[in-house]
């Protein structure tokens, strides 16, 4: 190693440590590349931890039964509706908090944080009650077979019933990111998913006084892990070292700020509801081809999340940079930050796609060796990986709009790409033309490519720079 390489490596390690320790919180001046690095590293690690848990979880559940894996697939396609609400509200929280921080209005950021958390609590309680009462009906509606419903409804009941843990986890982390405290969000996910990985086998297979719960145990472990992380987050908000620090006097409702959050979040919620409802219909189509094909698809999606999550983390960095730089009246710096983040994300996703194209069957067989499961999962990985470079730019551009508070534009893009294009294409190719599961995979990739193209065209118009939040 040359002296120059040694210096570069030492510089990387130093910046890496600063990024995960949260010592750097100024992102409206200085090097854009450094700002992207400082925000992206903790966000990538945060999302990577989430995706590692998703893989470990499916690996444990795969040892229970094929029906158990299929149950997770059906349940998670429904609970993504919860994620849509949580992420929509989280996008609003990030946009408003980042804008207030860019304006040096910390009090305004603190007020916005309290209102966002209050909204999250109310929404999650309503959804939780529905999930507990109608778990079996939800699985039946999704096309689950009778034996699958009987084996798996406990998982659905616990996961949707305890959704307050995931809603608050998403929401409070969004507040930290908007404030530029991405490292705190990262450590919350490390705690949550570290606990999940340890508790998963204990509750699934039994350990000491803990009885064997099967697939239901995975949901119990998840709620405990996420709930513990939420307590950690609240501790940081009230007693910690973050830029936003709450006090008891802040715990009052401010309907003007709350209505503003709702207004901004409606576009985000609609945007993700469009995407997730599309996802549910795709899962319903996949259920037509049997539990083994469905299990292969579920495993492939979990594997892809391993790489999409870090890419999403890098995209979240773009949202924070856009919000803070618009607040600091620097729209050109915000735009340059987005294009640079997109380029770095494309490098990463392009490299990953090659791995999936070459090693798809091997990767899926790590989780299940049933021939039909491996065949379906590998085909899914390979076809979707073909569009990974487009995904990279699509995710960054979408998050840039959201970071600016312009949640309407991504909603329009999702409506065109998912409802008007993806769903008809999936239905026709899979069921009418007889392509089977391949038709669904082709529709997914084609829609994501369309999202990237539309997002880049609208981003260049620059209307997002004039949005007020």
């Amino acid at each position: 190693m040359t002296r120059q390489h040694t210096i570069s490596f030492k510089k990387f390690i130093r910046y890496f440590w600063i990024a995960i320790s949260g010592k750097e919180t100024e992102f409206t001046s200085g090097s854009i590349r450094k700002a992207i690095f400082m925000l992206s590293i903790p966000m990538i690690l945060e999302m990577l931890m989430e995706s590692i848990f998703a893989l470990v979880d499916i690996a444990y559940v795969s040892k229970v039964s094929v029906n158990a894996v299929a149950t997770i697939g059906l349940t998670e396609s429904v609970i993504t509706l919860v994620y849509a609400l949580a992420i929509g509200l989280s996008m609003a929280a990030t946009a408003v908090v980042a804008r207030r921080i860019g304006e040096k209005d910390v009090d305004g950021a603190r007020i916005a944080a309290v209102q966002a958390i209050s909204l999250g609590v109310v929404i999650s309680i309503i959804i939780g009650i529905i999930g507990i009462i109608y778990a079996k009906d939800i699985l039946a509606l999704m096309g689950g077979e009778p034996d699958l419903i009987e084996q798996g409804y406990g998982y659905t009941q616990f996961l949707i019933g305890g959704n307050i843990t995931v809603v608050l986890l998403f929401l409070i982390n969004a507040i930290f990111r908007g404030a530029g405290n991405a490292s705190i969000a990262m450590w919350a996910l490390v705690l949550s998913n570290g606990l999940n990985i340890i508790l998963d086998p204990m509750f699934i297979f039994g350990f000491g006084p803990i009885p064997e719960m099967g697939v239901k145990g995975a949901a119990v472990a998840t709620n405990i892990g996420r709930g513990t992380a939420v307590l950690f987050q609240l501790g940081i908000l009230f007693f910690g070292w973050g830029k936003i620090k709450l006090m008891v006097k802040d715990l009052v409702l401010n309907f003007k700020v709350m209505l503003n959050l709702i207004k901004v979040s409606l576009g985000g919620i609609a945007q993700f509801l469009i995407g997730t409802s599309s996802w549910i219909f795709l899962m319903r189509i996949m259920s037509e081809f049997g539990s083994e094909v469905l299990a292969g698809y579920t495993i492939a999606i979990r594997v892809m999340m391993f790489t999409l999550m870090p890419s999403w983390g890098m995209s979240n960095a773009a949202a924070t940079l856009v919000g803070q730089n618009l607040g600091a009246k620097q729209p050109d710096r915000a735009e340059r930050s987005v294009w640079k983040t997109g380029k770095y994300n494309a490098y990463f996703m392009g490299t990953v796609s090659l791995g999936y194209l070459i090693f798809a069957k091997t990767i899926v067989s790590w989780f299940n060796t049933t021939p039909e499961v491996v065949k379906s999962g590998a085909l899914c990985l390979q076809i979707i990986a073909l569009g990974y470079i487009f995904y990279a730019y699509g995710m960054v551009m979408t998050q840039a709009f959201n970071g600016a508070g312009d949640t309407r534009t991504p909603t329009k893009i999702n409506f065109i790409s998912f409802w008007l294009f993806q769903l008809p294409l999936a239905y026709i190719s899979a069921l009418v033309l007889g392509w089977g599961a391949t038709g669904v995979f082709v529709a997914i990739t084609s829609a994501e490519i369309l999202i990237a193209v539309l997002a880049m065209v609208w981003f260049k118009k620059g209307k997002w720079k004039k949005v007020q939040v």
Side-chain angles (χ1 to χ4, degrees):
M1 185 180 290
T2 65
R3 183 173 179 275
Q4 186 177 358
H5 286 147
T6 303
I7 293 171
S8 297
F9 181 71
K10 287 181 178 178
K11 187 177 181 181
F12 172 83
I13 295 297
R14 182 165 61 86
Y15 280 179
F16 183 88
W17 173 251
I18 293 171
I20 64 171
S21 64
K23 292 178 181 177
E24 179 73 47
T25 57
E26 175 54 54
F27 303 111
T28 57
S29 61
S31 166
I32 292 177
R33 182 185 297 179
K34 183 183 176 184
I36 293 171
F37 183 88
M38 290 298 172
L39 279 170
S40 293
I41 290 299
M43 290 181 182
I44 288 170
L45 292 176
E46 175 191 348
M47 295 295 114
L48 190 61
M49 194 67 195
E50 181 75 12
S51 53
I52 286 172
F53 166 66
L55 288 181
V56 172
D57 188 47
I58 205 73
Y60 285 136
V61 172
S62 293
K63 298 182 187 300
V64 178
S65 67
V66 169
N67 266 351
V69 178
T71 297
I72 286 183
L74 293 179
T75 302
E76 291 206 340
S77 65
V78 174
I79 206 166
T80 48
L81 293 173
V82 178
Y83 293 163
L85 293 170
I87 292 172
L89 191 52
S90 296
M91 287 189 305
T94 296
V96 175
V97 170
R99 191 70 68 95
R100 299 293 91 83
I101 292 295
E103 293 166 351
K104 310 300 182 188
D105 180 10
V106 178
D107 287 342
R110 194 165 61 236
I111 293 168
V114 172
Q115 308 317 305
I117 293 170
S118 301
L119 281 170
V121 170
V122 172
I123 291 169
S124 58
I125 289 173
I126 295 169
I127 293 170
I129 292 170
I130 294 170
I132 291 169
I133 297 173
Y134 298 107
K136 288 186 177 181
D137 302 279
I138 289 168
L139 287 175
L141 188 66
M142 288 302 298
E145 297 165 2
D147 60 331
L148 181 150
I149 294 171
E150 202 53 45
Q151 288 178 33
Y153 82 92
Y155 176 87
T156 307
Q157 211 168 38
F158 270 87
L159 203 64
I160 300 179
N163 79 93
I164 191 169
T165 58
V166 72
V167 169
L168 291 183
L169 190 63
F170 277 26
L171 193 49
I172 300 174
N173 269 359
I175 292 166
F176 287 140
R177 290 191 208 103
N181 296 134
S183 65
I184 301 176
M186 177 197 74
W187 289 115
L189 260 292
V190 168
L191 174 61
S192 167
N193 294 323
L195 278 174
N196 286 347
I197 290 168
I198 294 168
L199 295 175
D200 236 13
M202 293 182 181
F203 284 92
I204 292 172
F205 307 114
F207 181 81
I210 301 172
E212 181 180 341
M213 296 185 186
V215 67
K216 180 171 74 174
V220 174
T222 296
N223 281 338
I224 293 174
R226 285 174 174 163
T228 304
V230 169
L231 293 176
F232 166 78
Q233 291 174 316
L234 292 172
I236 296 297
L237 278 177
F238 283 95
F239 310 108
W241 63 89
K243 189 170 279 190
I244 294 177
K245 191 169 182 179
L246 302 181
M247 290 173 278
V248 176
K249 68 180 182 69
D250 296 318
L251 302 181
V252 293
L253 296 181
N254 184 314
F255 290 105
K256 182 180 178 182
V257 175
M258 189 176 285
L259 287 173
N260 183 44
L261 278 166
I262 291 172
K263 179 185 172 184
V264 177
S265 68
L266 283 177
I269 291 169
Q271 172 187 151
F272 277 85
L273 279 176
I274 290 167
T276 51
S277 60
S278 173
W279 194 260
I280 288 173
F281 283 117
L282 291 180
M283 186 64 80
R284 184 66 184 84
I285 293 172
M286 289 296 296
S287 70
E288 293 291 318
F289 308 119
S291 289
E292 290 184 338
V293 172
L294 185 61
Y297 175 63
T298 301
I299 289 170
I301 295 301
R302 282 296 186 94
V303 169
M304 285 188 296
M305 291 305 286
F306 184 77
T307 45
L308 286 177
M309 281 291 192
S311 183
W312 187 257
M314 204 179 299
S315 303
N316 283 336
T320 300
L321 287 169
V322 166
Q324 290 199 8
N325 280 293
L326 287 181
K329 311 297 182 187
Q330 298 186 87
D332 291 341
R333 179 181 169 86
E335 183 173 4
R336 293 199 306 274
S337 299
V338 173
W339 285 113
K340 284 193 175 184
T341 306
K343 181 176 70 173
Y344 299 147
N345 207 12
Y347 290 156
F348 169 70
M349 293 290 277
T351 303
V352 169
S353 67
L354 292 176
Y356 284 165
L357 289 170
I358 298 169
F359 301 110
K361 286 188 176 180
T362 303
I363 292 169
V364 176
S365 65
W366 290 341
F367 302 92
N368 193 294
T369 54
T370 306
E372 190 62 30
V373 172
V374 173
K375 180 182 175 183
S376 172
L379 188 62
C380 180
L381 274 181
Q382 289 172 326
I383 292 176
I384 294 180
L386 292 173
Y388 256 28
I389 290 177
F390 288 93
Y391 294 5
Y393 275 101
M395 280 189 283
V396 170
M397 296 293 163
T398 298
Q399 283 301 86
F401 286 124
N402 290 329
D406 178 14
T407 53
R408 290 185 180 182
T409 298
T411 303
K412 294 175 187 174
I413 293 171
N414 279 9
F415 178 75
I416 294 168
S417 302
F418 289 136
W419 282 8
L420 300 185
F421 180 75
Q422 184 188 72
L423 290 180
L425 179 61
Y427 181 84
I428 292 169
S429 57
L431 300 177
V432 178
L433 299 180
W435 291 9
T438 302
V440 175
F441 306 152
V442 169
I444 292 171
T445 301
S446 302
E448 294 294 345
I449 291 172
L450 180 60
I451 285 173
V453 172
L454 291 177
M456 284 191 275
V457 170
W458 266 318
F459 183 79
K460 285 183 176 180
K461 291 182 178 180
K463 292 182 180 179
W464 53 272
K465 297 177 183 178
K466 300 174 184 178
V467 174
Q468 298 297 317
V469 295

